[in-house]
Amino acid sequence: MKKINIANETKKKILLSIVGFIVFAIFIFPLYWMIVTSLKTQVEIFSIPTPLWPENLTFKAYIDQFAASSDTFLGFRNSLIISLGAMVIATVLAIPASYGLARFRFKGTKVIILLFLITQMLPSTLVLTSLYIMFSGMHLLNKYLAPIIADATIGIPFSVIILRTYFLSIPKELDEAAKIDGCGHLRAFVRIMLPIARPGIIVAAVFSFMFAWGDLIYGITFITNPTMRPITSSIYNYVQQYQTLWNSTMAFGIIAISPVIIIFIFAQRYIVSGLTNGAVKA
Amino acid sequence: MKKLKIKSGTILGWAFSLPALIYMLVFIGYPIIQNIILSFKNVNVYTFANKDAQNFIGFDNYIELFTDPNSVLLNSIVKTLIFTVGSIFFQFIIGFALALLFNKKFPGCSFFRGVTMISWLLPVTVSGLLFKFMFAASGGIINQFLVTFGAINKPIEWLLNPVTATVAIIIANIWVGIPFNMMLILTGLTTIPNEVYESASIDGANGIQKLFRITIPMIKSAIMSVLTLGFVYTFKVFDLVWVMTKGGPVNSTQLVSTYSYRLSFEEFQFSKGASAANILFIILLFVGLFYIQLIKEDEVM
């Protein structure tokens, strides 16, 4: 009897694995298609029917992307500058704020948390026009600082919310012990809390980076100088120009998503926890 | 002594929170107020640089947006609703199904579940271009599959026909949003103790009964969160649609967000664009308040 049960269990697991794999394969197909297309020739792409894998595998699209146009390299560099800038601002501001909201119960805590929650739900178009006018007055258009400032506003509320949950999970006694040992609030915060909260801080920073990396609307609006465009904006402009050069566009796309893929491979666990904590809990 | 302590807590709490708060007030709060003021003015390409020519014109922008035959605002609200409801309906059902599947333990499970996340993390601009390519009339893989399986006779111009373009942007958005739904529901599912299912099995409940009598009621709050958050996030989608169709053909995929952008930055009618953005904001605010009410009841705060 038991033996049959185990055999059934194994059968069930194999079946689930097969179903899981099929679902996975369908779901991930667009990504596969992007990679395959980037390795094809234009002729293959437009032949009917188009082959499901590259028959004449070529890296020409990638070589062209790097050699023939500087769009890719410049876009990558600009995005890196903008995303790192936004990440630093968002993280540096969010750490103390989330600590303050987690550790000190004071009048206004709830309102502040609510405000951060609401800002997460705002459409970018709501502040876009005013920011444009404001940056234009400050002579910040076509400067990296404009999208950096704007992108940080996406990272801050998200970071505050996930870091606050993180600080709440650290036992209060740790702080108090530090204070008894003669540390002031600030020193207790820097010496004790920051190192313990490191995993949470990494999640927050990674998300702030990815939000900025994925931004299109601020990039296309505040930066019109082609050499300063972030990569999302330059790939968007590239497609407008070379409508059907799909292998190059997809190679460009792969390069544009590469940091996200790398982050994902190394920090998948953190990302999942960040998504569930930052999105649901307040 | 005790009073002093409470006071110092308040001061410290504010001191720690203040930098972030000020930042958000300057770069989000102030622009929101400016945006409201802007919507009551007549700032456009002619008056942008000339402050003296900018006048308050009351509700004219809003009235024009709703009544002017050239305005597609009402149409774009309807389109946004169709886009949002269509996206959420399928995202939720598929996400739920995937969560149920990946909640079981089987070889490869955590790998499959993990990699599925990727569609949510990709820069939306790239996902949008990818789907634009897949829906292309020549060289597009979706047409090829449909022709191969005999669903259509010849390739369709997906993005050039109003109805199919709407379908295409919804499908692309579903793909992007599934992991979000899946992960949040999965987190909900892990909170259900196994014993509940076991005792239900002993009582002779079948799979469907368990789903509707146990699973769904027990993760009701997670479901409500997913749906309201999904609504808010989908209602304000911009990049995906801008990249795929730019609101076309002939405004058939024009959402409130893309319309507002077009008014401000393609037609340079800044005040009108601001008004359209405010209308989007008001709609979202209602849903957002509903969500906050929801999580308040649910503990956490």
Side-chain angles (χ1 to χ4, degrees), chain B residues 55-231:
Chain B
N55 302 313
F56 280 97
I57 53 166
F59 281 91
D60 283 9
N61 287 316
Y62 293 96
I63 294 167
E64 271 178 45
L65 277 175
F66 279 107
T67 56
D68 187 358
N70 287 323
S71 159
V72 293
L73 181 80
L74 281 175
N75 177 50
S76 73
I77 293 177
V78 174
K79 285 288 166 179
T80 312
L81 271 174
I82 294 172
F83 176 73
T84 306
V85 173
S87 296
I88 292 189
F89 182 78
F90 290 104
Q91 270 172 10
F92 178 74
I93 290 183
I94 299 170
F96 202 121
L98 290 188
L100 288 175
L101 174 67
F102 289 133
N103 194 35
K104 301 229 170 8
K105 300 261 171 302
F106 57 87
C109 162
S110 63
F111 174 78
F112 294 152
R113 184 182 59 206
V115 181
T116 308
M117 286 280 297
I118 212 97
S119 74
W120 188 74
L121 296 169
L122 290 185
V124 176
T125 311
V126 178
S127 311
L129 289 175
L130 175 58
F131 273 88
K132 189 179 179 174
F133 169 51
M134 294 204 301
F135 278 110
S138 63
I141 187 70
I142 289 171
N143 273 329
Q144 180 171 321
F145 279 146
L146 291 178
V147 170
T148 314
F149 293 121
I152 52 174
N153 296 325
K154 57 177 184 8
I156 339 175
E157 290 273 8
W158 282 90
L159 297 176
L160 296 182
N161 171 298
V163 176
T164 53
T166 310
V167 173
I169 57 170
I170 291 176
I171 290 178
N173 195 55
I174 292 171
W175 187 71
V176 173
I178 285 174
F180 177 79
N181 288 260
M182 180 186 85
M183 288 315 299
L184 295 193
I185 293 167
L186 208 48
T187 319
L189 288 180
T190 53
T191 61
I192 304 177
N194 231 337
E195 293 82 47
V196 184
Y197 288 112
E198 274 160 22
S199 58
S201 295
I202 293 167
D203 290 344
N206 62 28
I208 293 169
Q209 280 172 327
K210 279 187 211 163
L211 177 65
F212 284 99
R213 298 271 170 82
I214 302 175
T215 312
I216 292 178
M218 285 196 83
I219 59 164
K220 213 174 125 200
S221 69
I223 291 174
M224 290 308 282
S225 290
V226 172
L227 291 178
T228 27
L229 276 179
F231 188 92

Side-chain angles (χ1 to χ4, degrees), chain A:
Chain A
M1 181 65 194
K2 213 169 185 187
K3 226 176 182 176
I4 296 169
N5 255 339
I6 292 169
N8 265 340
E9 276 292 294
T10 329
K11 240 187 199 166
K12 210 175 139 195
K13 281 201 169 164
I14 293 171
L15 196 74
L16 275 172
S17 280
I18 295 169
V19 174
F21 176 76
I22 294 170
V23 167
F24 167 79
I26 295 172
F27 192 81
I28 217 69
F29 178 80
L31 205 61
Y32 165 81
W33 198 239
M34 177 151 77
I35 298 169
V36 165
T37 306
S38 73
L39 298 171
K40 281 180 174 178
T41 58
Q42 278 294 104
V43 180
E44 268 183 293
I45 290 173
F46 287 103
S47 64
I48 300 171
T50 182
L52 294 179
W53 51 86
E55 282 168 351
N56 313 302
L57 188 114
T58 168
F59 287 95
K60 195 173 167 298
Y62 289 91
I63 295 163
D64 284 353
Q65 266 324 303
F66 278 113
S69 80
S70 53
D71 284 9
T72 320
F73 172 73
L74 284 177
F76 199 91
R77 187 201 63 183
N78 298 336
S79 271
L80 214 53
I81 295 172
I82 293 167
S83 309
L84 287 175
M87 179 184 96
V88 170
I89 294 180
T91 316
V92 166
L93 292 177
I95 293 171
S98 51
Y99 177 74
L101 292 171
R103 268 297 173 269
F104 308 102
R105 290 251 150 211
F106 57 95
K107 263 190 194 165
T109 332
K110 279 188 180 176
V111 179
I112 298 174
I113 297 168
L114 268 188
L115 281 178
F116 281 122
L117 261 182
I118 291 175
T119 37
Q120 269 196 302
M121 302 177 173
L122 297 178
S124 312
T125 34
L126 182 66
V127 291
L128 191 71
T129 316
S130 304
L131 280 179
Y132 181 82
I133 294 170
M134 186 171 163
F135 289 153
S136 148
M138 292 160 78
H139 302 286
L140 282 182
L141 295 181
N142 278 321
K143 301 255 166 56
Y144 290 126
L145 200 54
I148 289 178
I149 289 174
D151 286 338
T153 63
I154 318 173
I156 289 172
F158 190 87
S159 301
V160 168
I161 287 163
I162 49 173
L163 277 175
R164 181 175 165 267
T165 349
Y166 208 89
F167 280 122
L168 281 176
S169 71
I170 300 173
K172 217 171 181 169
E173 289 73 35
L174 272 173
D175 258 330
E176 267 144 27
K179 266 172 236 156
I180 291 166
D181 287 349
C183 286
H185 273 290
L186 206 63
R187 267 187 62 187
F189 169 63
V190 175
R191 288 280 184 80
I192 312 285
M193 295 309 268
L194 284 190
I196 299 176
R198 228 177 76 182
I201 294 171
I202 294 172
V203 181
V206 160
F207 269 94
S208 296
F209 180 89
M210 289 203 299
F211 287 146
W213 190 273
D215 159 69
L216 175 71
I217 195 166
Y218 293 134
I220 51 173
T221 313
F222 301 146
I223 294 190
T224 45
N225 176 352
T227 60
M228 290 182 68
R229 277 179 192 144
I231 198 157
T232 45
S233 164
S234 60
I235 191 171
Y236 169 74
N237 281 289
Y238 183 85
V239 175
Q240 307 281 92
Q241 214 174 336
Y242 305 99
Q243 294 280 348
T244 53
L245 225 53
W246 288 116
N247 54 357
S248 294
T249 305
M250 292 300 130
F252 203 158
I254 299 272
I255 295 162
I257 66 172
S258 57
V260 177
I261 305 275
I262 291 168
I263 291 172
F264 179 72
I265 291 169
F266 287 104
Q268 191 195 329
R269 197 161 48 94
Y270 293 123
I271 290 170
V272 173
S273 80
L275 166 65
T276 45
N277 284 330
V280 197
K281 291 183 190 153

Side-chain angles (χ1 to χ4, degrees), chain B residues 25-62:
Chain B
L25 284 177
V26 172
F27 295 112
I28 295 289
Y30 174 75
I32 291 176
I33 293 165
Q34 279 298 315
N35 202 60
I36 295 169
I37 297 172
L38 190 65
S39 72
F40 293 116
K41 283 180 157 184
N42 64 339
V43 181
N44 53 37
V45 68
Y46 307 108
T47 59
F48 182 68
N50 181 6
K51 279 235 154 68
D52 297 329
Q54 299 175 4
N55 302 313
F56 280 97
I57 53 166
F59 281 91
D60 283 9
N61 287 316
Y62 293 96

